[in-house]
Amino acid sequence: MLDSFCRATGYGRKSAIKVLKGRCRLSARKRVPGATRYVAGLRSALKVGWKARDYLCFERLQPFLPDVAQILVRHGQLTRSPRPG
């Protein structure tokens, strides 16, 4: 139980024990706004591929992404840009 609590919350074992015993409280984690991870075109293409694969979670979707990308390029919904470097 302690291991699964640690994996779910990201706490170390000692901190998790203190929280579970009630000695300290869980702090609400604040989201730090960051840069957008995907450019707009890629985000929409990922949504199309995600929808095409019946909304799989990322771990199950990841192996299909190269195939989905090729299909999207073939149908003109995704354009490839040269890699930097």
Side-chain angles (χ1 to χ4, degrees):
M1 183 172 134
L2 183 60
D3 290 335
S4 60
F5 182 80
C6 291
R7 280 192 302 269
T9 60
Y11 281 89
R13 291 182 65 83
K14 294 293 183 179
S15 298
I17 291 169
K18 289 178 185 177
V19 168
L20 291 173
K21 284 187 175 184
R23 286 192 228 158
C24 65
R25 304 180 89 167
L26 285 172
S27 62
R29 296 192 179 198
K30 296 179 183 177
R31 289 194 80 191
V32 178
T36 303
R37 289 186 174 198
Y38 306 108
V39 290
L42 182 59
R43 179 183 290 261
S44 64
L46 282 172
K47 283 184 181 181
V48 170
W50 180 51
K51 185 177 178 182
R53 292 294 178 183
D54 294 326
Y55 304 101
L56 287 174
C57 66
F58 184 72
E59 289 81 15
R60 295 183 65 198
L61 178 65
Q62 190 175 5
F64 295 109
L65 286 178
D67 297 332
V68 170
Q70 288 177 356
I71 292 168
L72 291 173
V73 168
R74 190 177 324 133
H75 291 283
Q77 293 191 16
L78 180 66
T79 57
R80 290 188 181 184
S81 59
R83 288 187 176 185

